[in-house]
């Protein structure tokens, strides 16, 4: 069977051929574990789950990596603001480590409830600091990194193909739209390592060749992907919001460090939206978690059914009516399977009805 996948990088469907015959490596950008994942986040893990199961059905050996971002993701894409874990810890008077562990476990419980297969590798950024430092050193030694007053930054002007994933016209970006200009050579440059503020003690910080600090969000994914899947990987998945910044930065730093392409096939899922194409998100203040749906009496598999009835590259319009319809359709499928003598998963209350 020929498998064709839509590659965000080329904007076309391509025949899939793995780097190594019979084996596929998949990297999926995981959650930043400072709060509960909402159902829009969780949608991003459904389509790679289906893909992974398809590949295994086609008798490929699959190694799937989903990272846990438990440090380094700042409140702004401009490499400014507070670390999201540190901010959550400060506002709740709790340990950043405890918060990261709590929401990691909640995330995994959500995957289990949705019958999303656990990844083969679940690396945490805080457990891979040495690898991130080593990767930054490679970039520095090759002349792609420089120092400012608040960190070590990647020089995007040294990478002529910067932004090709997002079709960015770098010269047309307005000053300050992507990153603050202070101390940086180019407006698209991004942090590889941030220095700890001298007047504030962070809960999560490490010694490095450049001073005490913590890694930038983007370097984490490159370092962990390379450690578990090699310097070139078959498939990288994530949400469309990662295309212009996070994934563009991953490509730049990875390819400058290794000298060859980083990812063969990029797959991106579209947003879950409410009403008039309003994106669901924490910053929008309209997030809904899987637990809330369960508390309202819905089977989590009804949400999986709803999500899988929409193409992963299309917006998923969420509403109470859509959830009720998905729940009814799921129940109907279960009854058919049960009536035919199959092993259907029973409803949440464990009872079957004959109506």
């Amino acid at each position: 069977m020929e498998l064709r996948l839509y590659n965000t990088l080329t904007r076309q469907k391509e025949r899939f051929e793995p780097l190594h015959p019979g084996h596929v490596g998949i990297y999926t950008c995981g959650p930043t574990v400072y709060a509960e994942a909402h159902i829009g986040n969780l949608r991003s893990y459904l389509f790679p789950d289906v893909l992974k199961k398809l590949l295994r059905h086609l008798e490929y050996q699959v190694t799937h990596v989903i990272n846990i971002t438990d440090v380094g993701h700042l409140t702004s894409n401009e490499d400014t603001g507070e670390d999201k874990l540190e901010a959550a810890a400060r506002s709740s008077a709790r340990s950043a480590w405890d918060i990261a562990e709590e929401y990691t476990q909640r995330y995994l419980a959500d995957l289990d409830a949705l019958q999303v297969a656990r990844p083969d590798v679940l690396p945490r950024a805080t457990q891979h600091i040495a690898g991130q430092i080593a990767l930054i050193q490679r970039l520095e030694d090759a002349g792609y990194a420089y120092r400012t007053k608040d960190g070590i930054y990647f020089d995007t002007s040294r990478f002529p193909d910067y932004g090709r994933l997002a079709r960015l016209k770098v010269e047309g970006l307005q000053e300050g739209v992507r990153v603050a200009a202070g101390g940086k050579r180019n407006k698209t440059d991004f942090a590889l390592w941030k220095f700890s503020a001298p007047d504030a003690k962070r809960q999560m910080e490490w010694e490095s060749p450049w001073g005490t600090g913590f890694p930038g969000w983007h370097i984490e994914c490159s370092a962990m992907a390379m450690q578990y899947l090699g310097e070139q990987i078959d498939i990288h998945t994530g949400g469309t919001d990662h295309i212009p910044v996070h994934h563009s930065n991953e490509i730049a730093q990875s390819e400058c460090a290794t000298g060859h392409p980083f990812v063969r096939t990029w797959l991106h899922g579209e947003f879950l939206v409410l009403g008039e194409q309003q994106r669901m998100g924490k910053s929008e203040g309209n997030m809904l978690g899987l637990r809330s749906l369960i508390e309202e009496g819905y089977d989590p598999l009804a949400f999986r059914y709803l999500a899988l009835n929409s193409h992963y590259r299309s917006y998923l319009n969420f509403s109470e009516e859509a959830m009720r319809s998905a729940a009814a359709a799921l129940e109907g499928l279960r009854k058919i399977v049960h009536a035919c003598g199959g092993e259907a998963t029973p409803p949440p209350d464990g009872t079957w009805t004959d109506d």
Side-chain angles (χ1 to χ4, degrees):
M1 178 183 293
E2 180 179 277
L3 177 62
R4 298 180 68 82
L5 299 174
Y6 182 86
N7 189 349
T8 308
L9 187 64
T10 61
R11 302 298 197 271
Q12 62 185 11
K13 288 184 179 180
E14 299 173 341
R15 182 173 182 271
F16 175 70
E17 294 185 18
L19 287 158
H20 306 289
H23 184 271
V24 180
I26 305 174
Y27 186 88
T28 296
C29 280
T32 301
V33 287
Y34 70 102
E36 182 179 7
H38 58 71
I39 57 174
N41 298 142
L42 294 173
R43 186 198 185 195
S44 296
Y45 304 103
L46 289 171
F47 82 83
D49 180 61
V50 172
L51 174 64
K52 175 170 57 178
K53 290 169 178 173
L54 171 62
L55 288 167
R56 286 179 173 160
H57 175 73
L58 296 175
E59 300 185 347
Y60 286 102
Q61 290 184 332
V62 180
T63 301
H64 186 204
V65 180
I66 300 179
N67 72 291
I68 297 294
T69 297
D70 53 359
V71 69
H73 193 172
L74 302 185
T75 54
S76 168
N77 275 336
E78 288 85 31
D79 289 318
T80 59
E82 199 171 1
D83 181 293
K84 292 184 177 182
L85 263 296
E86 295 281 341
R90 179 176 48 77
S91 63
S92 64
R94 296 176 58 198
S95 160
W97 300 93
D98 289 344
I99 291 172
E101 181 60 26
E102 175 186 348
Y103 289 111
T104 297
Q105 295 308 317
R106 287 197 186 190
Y107 165 72
L108 293 174
D110 285 345
L111 293 190
D112 292 343
L114 291 169
Q115 294 190 13
V116 172
R118 294 273 185 106
D120 302 289
V121 189
L122 190 75
R124 303 183 189 214
T126 53
Q127 296 173 347
H128 295 77
I129 300 298
Q132 294 166 61
I133 290 174
L135 185 54
I136 297 169
Q137 287 179 307
R138 287 175 70 178
L139 290 167
E140 186 178 49
D141 292 344
Y144 292 104
Y146 64 93
R147 184 184 187 111
T148 72
K149 63 181 180 181
D150 72 341
I152 305 299
Y153 282 77
F154 181 89
D155 186 347
T156 55
S157 69
R158 297 289 314 281
F159 185 55
D161 282 343
Y162 182 78
R164 72 178 185 273
L165 181 71
R167 303 295 196 266
L168 288 176
K169 295 182 179 179
V170 176
E171 293 303 318
L173 291 173
Q174 294 179 354
E175 190 75 13
V177 169
R178 284 285 310 285
V179 291
K184 300 173 188 174
R185 296 176 181 174
N186 312 284
K187 44 186 166 264
T188 50
D189 292 355
F190 56 90
L192 300 169
W193 185 265
K194 293 282 284 186
F195 301 140
S196 296
D199 57 346
K201 174 67 177 177
R202 285 177 52 89
Q203 294 188 37
M204 293 177 164
E205 60 183 9
W206 295 264
E207 294 302 318
S208 78
W210 315 283
T212 304
F214 58 99
W217 174 34
H218 316 296
I219 199 69
E220 299 171 358
C221 283
S222 291
M224 289 186 282
M226 289 182 190
Q227 177 168 338
Y228 295 104
L229 298 174
E231 292 188 349
Q232 288 184 284
I233 63 178
D234 293 300
I235 298 171
H236 195 315
T237 77
T240 56
D241 53 326
H242 288 335
I243 295 173
V245 181
H246 184 48
H247 289 169
S248 290
N249 293 349
E250 274 191 66
I251 289 172
Q253 65 198 9
S254 301
E255 297 189 0
C256 287
T258 66
H260 51 65
F262 177 43
V263 174
R264 279 196 143 184
T265 304
W266 287 91
L267 303 178
H268 290 93
E270 196 48 270
F271 294 134
L272 179 149
V273 295
L274 305 168
E276 299 297 320
Q277 300 293 299
Q278 181 186 14
R279 172 190 172 189
M280 178 177 287
K282 298 180 182 72
S283 59
E284 287 79 2
N286 60 6
M287 63 169 286
L288 177 66
L290 188 64
R291 281 171 177 73
S292 296
L293 289 181
I294 294 171
E295 289 169 0
E296 292 175 15
Y298 289 110
D299 185 333
L301 292 186
F303 175 70
R304 181 182 176 103
Y305 183 93
L306 173 65
L308 295 181
N309 269 279
S310 177
H311 193 284
Y312 77 93
R313 286 192 286 114
S314 299
Y315 288 110
L316 171 59
N317 289 292
F318 179 85
S319 66
E320 284 287 341
E321 181 181 359
M323 272 302 301
R324 287 193 296 268
S325 296
L330 176 64
E331 178 67 7
L333 286 175
R334 281 174 164 153
K335 287 180 179 179
I336 292 171
V337 173
H338 182 62
C340 294
E343 296 184 4
T345 304
D349 61 5
T351 61
W352 296 97
T353 59
D354 296 325
D355 57 343

